[in-house]
Amino acid sequence: MEDRMLNEKESLALISQMILNTKKNVRQNAGVPALLWGYATILTSLAVYAGVVLLQQQWVMLGWLLIPILGGVGMLWLSRREKPVMTKTYLDRVIKYIWLIMGLVCFGVSAAAFIYNIPILFFVSLLMSASITLTGCVADYKVYVYFGIAGIILSFLCLVVRAPEQILVFAANFVVMMIIPSHMLNAENRKNECKE
């Protein structure tokens, strides 16, 4: 195949098409992991809440360790699922690093909460809402941006509501900022696949 120089219009068209393809790839891969981590967090929250209310023992708080366990196992399962080979783009890497950094910060803050008295549910809720918002900005998916901002605002309820009901507010915020918009994203992706 012969290499040829592209003119200005062709170059711009190629760049625009590559950007659109990248955004499409990012959108197609964002919904399922967000649902996985969102449901892991909600189920763990409800289990911890039930344990706190029924048993009234401090050791029940160790149940929060189920989030990284359930999420990690789920991500391992997801990575082994058969999927089409796609080229990893710069946007894919940006989103990966957003979640990696925010996840590590959440893990660090969570570990610190076992030692220091800090409003952990507020911080985790705020950081995860910011992550969804940033993902929406990078992927140009406005639903993630709007629901992420709603999650940021709702995070502050964790500072107002007292334990143990604070756990329910935390779980409800994950429904708002992760579950609802991710189901909307997956539905939109399925609809677009049917059109193609």
Side-chain angles (χ1 to χ4, degrees):
M1 186 171 174
E2 189 179 307
D3 288 337
R4 71 175 182 86
M5 297 295 288
L6 298 176
N7 65 35
E8 188 177 319
K9 279 185 177 179
E10 292 171 328
S11 294
L12 288 174
L14 178 63
I15 291 168
S16 296
Q17 187 60 46
M18 288 174 66
I19 291 170
L20 287 174
N21 288 344
T22 297
K23 287 180 181 178
K24 180 182 173 187
N25 288 346
V26 168
R27 283 185 182 186
Q28 287 177 336
N29 294 320
V32 175
L35 285 172
L36 192 144
W37 285 99
Y39 279 120
T41 302
I42 291 165
L43 291 173
T44 300
S45 299
L46 295 176
V48 169
Y49 175 77
V52 167
V53 170
L54 297 174
L55 301 175
Q56 298 181 359
Q57 299 289 320
Q58 275 303 107
W59 61 265
V60 173
M61 292 301 176
L62 292 173
W64 290 112
L65 295 173
L66 284 173
I67 294 173
I69 293 169
L70 293 173
V73 168
M75 290 302 288
L76 185 64
W77 171 78
L78 244 159
S79 70
R80 292 179 186 255
R81 254 182 37 183
E82 193 173 49
K83 57 187 171 195
V85 177
M86 285 193 297
T87 305
K88 293 292 180 188
T89 64
Y90 180 71
L91 287 180
D92 292 315
R93 286 188 16 230
V94 167
I95 289 175
K96 176 181 136 186
Y97 289 129
I98 287 171
W99 284 98
L100 179 65
I101 291 167
M102 293 294 208
L104 289 173
V105 170
C106 281
F107 184 78
V109 171
S110 299
F114 281 102
I115 301 166
Y116 304 103
N117 187 17
I118 57 175
I120 185 62
L121 298 182
F122 163 71
F123 282 119
V124 170
S125 187
L126 184 66
L127 288 167
M128 292 298 100
S129 297
S131 299
I132 283 288
T133 305
L134 288 170
T135 300
C137 290
V138 170
D140 195 27
Y141 185 59
K142 303 247 184 288
V143 173
Y144 267 15
V145 174
Y146 300 144
F147 279 87
I149 291 170
I152 290 170
I153 294 165
L154 289 173
S155 296
F156 288 90
L157 282 176
C158 289
L159 295 174
V160 177
V161 177
R162 294 287 163 222
E165 287 73 24
Q166 185 183 66
I167 298 170
L168 296 177
V169 171
F170 179 76
N173 194 20
F174 270 79
V175 171
V176 170
M177 59 117 161
M178 264 190 178
I179 301 302
I180 294 171
S182 295
H183 277 298
M184 292 171 71
L185 175 61
N186 286 347
E188 185 179 311
N189 286 339
R190 281 192 298 277
K191 189 168 86 174
N192 289 338
E193 284 175 8
C194 291
K195 288 180 183 178
E196 293 175 354

